[in-house]
Amino acid sequence: MHALGATIRAERLEIVTDSERLAEIGPAWDELWTRTDSLVFQGHAWISAWWQTLPDRDNRQLRIGLVWNGDRLDAVMPLCLHRRRGLRFLEWAANSYSDYEDILAGPDCPTAALERLWAELTGLGGFDIALLNRLQPGARMRELAASRARPTLVPNHRSEVSHRVTGAWTSGAAWFDSQSKKARQNYRRGQSAMSEFGSARFRLLPEDEPLAPVLARLSALKRKWLDARGHTSALFDEGDVALPALVQALARAGVLRIFVIEVDGLIVAISINFEHHGTLMAFVTTYDPAFERASPGTLLMSDYIMWAFDRGLHTVDFLCGAEAFKQRFGTDAVTLGTFVAPGSLRGRAVLALDHARHALAQRRQRAASATVTTASNQAR
């Protein structure tokens, strides 16, 4: 058996739990994804690339919910079970590689059908905590959380931030001229320093350029950066196939945009981006620390921001993360929400303890702020 099914009214619900069925539903999923003009993170190619290249698949199980209307697929709730830290989580599929998570659903798919699908997905049990994160303000999953869906999803104190560059600039030069005098001077100094290393140029890779050497260079640079900070990431391990598979998914969707700065043909900064609905999204960015004096990462960001506004795009989105360089460039910040629901007594206890710890930390923070305020007032 691939899946569990139930027929309710006009909709038929299905839960996909294995690789064979995941592959079979590809055409219907692709049609829904195209019909809704959704982000690549909700696409079948993205989810499949993640699943096919997982190094720890033994710790996970697919649990992808579908709403069918006859032969037409109307909704996908791409979830999976993941065992970590001694707990079983029900979370988004491809969560570790995706930034904006959500249900993929047509506008005519009723919330009631999604409520039934959620009940069916969670009714199978096997998890301690449902943890659904990285939800943008308009996410369809938020609508489900606000409905009568059971088990009830409640907001969690954990959140992430997405920084973006937005504005009514008519060209890249107009955006650059709007920057502070210091920022413009730093850019010019960086260009001058870069020229001391050799002949430097910024470019967008053409569609027919082989990706393997570029991705190998990116992974090598990223490993250097991670090693220097004592971090690791399986996505950039030498010989890992996940990153090429994800980038190929972007390329097949026709949205891939890879920007580089080269010195005498050597890539010293690289950014894997993609374009969607007038927005340029920065997926992975890195640079060669040997050229750090010229700030190649900052130069590259400035260059692709100018490229985006020259192209007529209205937003550059740095996706998840509150890194200082994103805050420095960003003109807008969006908070991405997290919702949770218990799936077992153990999960209920863990969530209750987490809530209590967070409440205690907030009380201590308020007390510390009050103490500082009182001391300041007394000093006046």
Side-chain angles (χ1 to χ4, degrees):
M1 290 290 292
H2 305 318
L4 304 175
T7 303
I8 303 177
R9 297 186 185 179
E11 296 93 21
R12 175 171 59 87
L13 308 184
E14 179 183 357
I15 301 175
V16 175
T17 58
D18 66 57
S19 302
E20 182 181 355
R21 184 56 179 157
L22 175 62
E24 290 173 352
I25 62 174
W29 190 332
D30 287 341
E31 190 279 328
L32 172 62
W33 180 72
T34 301
R35 178 168 24 114
T36 55
D37 199 13
S38 296
L39 272 173
V40 68
F41 298 131
Q42 281 77 56
H44 180 266
W46 190 263
I47 302 297
S48 295
W50 159 78
W51 182 247
Q52 291 165 5
T53 59
L54 266 178
D56 62 340
R57 196 186 294 183
D58 290 345
N59 290 329
R60 305 174 195 256
Q61 180 187 347
L62 290 175
R63 190 170 288 187
I64 298 175
L66 310 176
V67 177
W68 293 94
N69 186 347
D71 293 331
R72 188 182 74 177
L73 185 60
D74 275 356
V76 179
M77 197 178 295
L79 304 180
C80 77
L81 296 175
H82 184 195
R83 184 184 295 273
R84 65 179 188 277
R85 298 198 299 270
L87 291 170
R88 301 165 302 166
F89 290 89
L90 180 64
E91 61 186 21
W92 296 112
N95 184 54
S96 54
Y97 300 151
S98 306
D99 287 78
Y100 299 145
E101 316 276 24
D102 201 8
I103 300 167
L104 177 63
D108 54 346
C109 181
T111 300
L114 299 177
E115 289 176 354
R116 292 193 291 272
L117 182 60
W118 174 246
E120 183 108 350
L121 280 162
T122 55
L124 293 178
F127 67 97
D128 298 306
I129 297 173
L131 177 65
L132 304 177
N133 62 345
R134 296 177 179 171
L135 297 174
Q136 297 197 81
R140 193 73 188 266
M141 196 71 202
R142 287 181 180 267
E143 178 184 321
L144 182 64
S147 71
R148 299 170 296 174
R150 296 292 183 272
T152 303
L153 286 160
V154 298
N156 184 261
H157 61 87
R158 290 173 176 80
S159 63
E160 297 180 66
V161 177
S162 164
H163 289 277
R164 303 160 188 195
V165 182
T166 60
W169 295 291
T170 56
S171 67
W175 170 82
F176 183 79
D177 290 342
S178 73
Q179 301 304 291
S180 67
K181 180 180 179 181
K182 181 179 180 181
R184 298 195 304 272
Q185 288 176 336
N186 287 342
Y187 177 80
R188 294 185 179 111
R189 287 194 194 100
Q191 284 190 314
S192 177
M194 190 67 74
S195 67
E196 295 175 10
F197 290 106
S199 177
R201 67 166 176 164
F202 160 80
R203 69 184 181 104
L204 168 69
L205 266 62
E207 292 182 6
D208 59 351
E209 182 159 343
L211 292 176
V214 178
L215 297 183
R217 175 65 172 161
L218 181 145
S219 293
L221 292 177
K222 204 68 176 178
R223 287 196 300 274
K224 282 185 181 180
W225 187 91
L226 291 167
D227 290 345
R229 290 156 181 79
H231 302 313
T232 60
S233 172
L235 188 61
F236 306 109
D237 286 345
E238 190 169 4
D240 187 80
V241 295
L243 181 63
L246 295 170
V247 171
Q248 283 294 343
L250 293 172
R252 286 194 296 271
V255 299
L256 179 64
R257 308 287 182 264
I258 300 181
F259 301 97
V260 299
I261 290 180
E262 297 169 322
V263 174
D264 294 335
L266 175 69
I267 294 176
V268 301
I270 180 170
S271 188
I272 306 293
N273 294 20
F274 61 95
E275 190 176 330
H276 180 78
H277 276 182
T279 297
L280 182 68
M281 298 184 170
F283 180 54
V284 179
T285 299
T286 193
Y287 65 90
D288 190 336
F291 295 79
E292 192 158 12
R293 179 167 60 88
S295 300
T298 300
L299 288 178
L300 183 60
M301 290 179 69
S302 297
D303 286 337
Y304 71 62
I305 290 172
M306 286 188 277
W307 178 93
F309 290 118
D310 280 339
R311 185 178 171 85
L313 306 184
H314 55 72
T315 303
V316 175
D317 189 336
F318 301 129
L319 301 180
C320 293
E323 294 90 343
F325 69 88
K326 295 181 179 181
Q327 298 180 44
R328 188 164 61 248
F329 278 96
T331 60
D332 189 24
V334 175
T335 299
L336 309 176
T338 298
F339 286 78
V340 296
S344 69
L345 290 176
R346 186 180 186 188
R348 191 177 298 277
V350 169
L351 288 175
L353 179 60
D354 179 65
H355 177 76
R357 286 174 172 170
H358 177 66
L360 178 60
Q362 283 187 313
R363 287 197 296 270
R364 287 174 173 170
Q365 186 176 16
R366 287 194 294 266
S369 298
T371 299
V372 171
T373 301
T374 300
S376 177
N377 291 337
Q378 291 174 346
R380 291 176 183 173

